[in-house]
Amino acid sequence: MPTQAISASVTRPVSVGHGLPPGAIAVMLMLCVSWGFNQLAVKLALPDVPPMLQAMIRSAGALPVMLIVGWARGVKFFERDCTLVPGLVAGLMFGVEFVLIFTGLVFTSASRASVFLYTAPFFVALGSHQFLGERLSTVQWSGLALSFAGVALAIGVPQPNVDAKVLLGDLLVVGGGVLWAATTLVAKGTNLRKAAPEKALGYQAAVSVPILGFASWIAGEQITHMPSALSISLLAYQAVWVVGCTFVIWFAMVKTYSASKLSAFTFVTPLFGVVAAYFIMHDTLTAVFGVAALFVIAGLYLVNKPDPKVTPDPNVPA
């Protein structure tokens, strides 16, 4: 999709009380497919590029993309706008988040990681209630309970293909989901929400590079041979497309449309991830894990389902 088309589709206001326009729905589905495949891309590149180095290369490669897109849109990256402190905090959490996620992917499968990472909306809902004063409906609390039950089922029930290392990987990925949620809350609850998407994400990518580089050095990581063409392509996919483009598009969408309506689409992301891992990497999927994944996805849907009893704010885009 051309950049101009994406920009137009995510910046055009929509009328209150209506669903998302077809253009926004198409963009959201594209984002979900991209994010669902991302964990698989990381896993496939691991034989050639260690996890922390892979994450550092991803952030470093995304920065020029954000700067170029921001420059083309007239973003003033170095303007004083009281976003430095929250930007640094978000960047710190962003860096540690990917230390946890990429390390977790060494131990657990791409399909399991896809489900556990996308428990992040669960923690966003809890944090929004606790720190941003957002009230949750009975249906949303039921969704939280269902998602929690799904995570507990997936982690806690013995399965033939799951050992202590896999469970450690699962917990690390869940930790990454918690930090993703915390970063979202910082972006929503501070002056960072006023920054252009390229600047807000630029903080995160820039601060994460030294964090990930230090983690890689501590772990003694090194690239021992020339990565394959596939691994290089997957690194480019992660850096240029996932971080440099889709994350910026997501931030622009959130600033334009209702966050709850957008978030309702993200519950399909784990499905794309699980299906891709099954067909491409032949991950083993047990019946127990399948039920757990359905619990998590159904719970996330309920958490993000708009409350029909709430009257829309006429000052907020639908």
Side-chain angles (χ1 to χ4, degrees):
M1 182 181 294
T3 303
Q4 294 86 349
I6 292 176
S7 177
S9 68
V10 300
T11 56
R12 187 184 301 113
V14 293
S15 60
V16 176
H18 292 78
L20 295 175
I25 292 174
V27 171
M28 277 305 305
L29 289 175
M30 176 269 293
L31 294 181
C32 291
V33 172
S34 300
W35 295 340
F37 182 74
N38 186 55
Q39 314 311 318
L40 189 60
V42 174
K43 194 78 174 178
L44 287 170
L46 281 177
D48 290 333
V49 186
M52 295 304 102
L53 272 176
Q54 196 175 148
M56 183 188 72
I57 292 170
R58 187 175 87 156
S59 288
L63 265 177
V65 178
M66 296 176 190
L67 292 173
I68 292 171
V69 173
W71 174 79
R73 295 205 317 118
V75 175
K76 297 178 180 178
F77 285 98
F78 301 102
E79 181 182 40
R80 293 187 177 182
D81 54 5
C82 300
T83 62
L84 178 60
V85 173
L88 293 177
V89 171
L92 176 63
M93 292 190 294
F94 185 83
V96 178
E97 169 193 336
F98 285 102
V99 169
L100 296 177
I101 293 172
F102 277 64
T103 303
L105 279 165
V106 174
F107 302 113
T108 193
S109 66
S111 57
R112 295 177 69 87
S114 294
V115 173
F116 290 126
L117 178 58
Y118 283 89
T119 58
F122 170 92
F123 300 109
V124 169
L126 284 177
S128 296
H129 177 76
Q130 184 69 28
F131 301 110
L132 303 182
E134 296 181 5
R135 300 181 62 182
L136 300 180
S137 67
T138 302
V139 170
Q140 289 172 317
W141 280 115
S142 299
L144 289 177
L146 190 59
S147 286
F148 181 81
V151 173
L153 178 64
I155 293 179
V157 176
Q159 299 174 48
N161 62 326
V162 175
D163 56 18
K165 287 186 177 180
V166 174
L167 292 177
L168 173 61
D170 294 343
L171 291 173
L172 288 171
V173 174
V174 170
V178 171
L179 286 176
W180 183 10
T183 305
T184 300
L185 294 174
V186 169
K188 285 185 175 183
T190 68
N191 285 326
L192 204 58
R193 69 184 182 277
K194 301 176 183 177
E198 296 89 347
K199 184 171 183 177
L201 284 163
Y203 278 123
Q204 297 174 46
V207 174
S208 69
V209 170
I211 293 173
L212 293 165
F214 180 72
S216 176
W217 178 71
I218 290 294
E221 292 183 349
Q222 56 182 324
I223 298 177
T224 58
H225 58 276
M226 180 66 185
S228 67
L230 175 62
S231 294
I232 293 173
S233 299
L234 292 171
L235 285 173
Y237 169 80
Q238 295 177 56
V240 176
W241 178 243
V242 175
V243 180
C245 294
T246 68
F247 285 7
V248 172
I249 293 170
W250 167 253
F251 266 67
M253 296 277 286
V254 168
K255 290 167 72 72
T256 303
Y257 300 109
S258 164
S260 62
K261 291 182 180 178
L262 292 173
S263 296
F265 279 89
T266 63
F267 78 94
V268 303
T269 303
L271 282 180
F272 287 126
V274 169
V275 171
Y278 177 76
F279 283 106
I280 297 176
M281 297 195 70
H282 307 293
D283 281 0
T284 302
L285 299 180
T286 65
V288 171
F289 184 75
V291 172
L294 289 176
F295 277 18
V296 172
I297 293 166
L300 294 181
Y301 171 77
L302 292 176
V303 168
N304 291 295
K305 184 178 180 181
D307 188 349
K309 297 180 182 179
V310 176
T311 303
D313 185 343
N315 297 315
V316 179

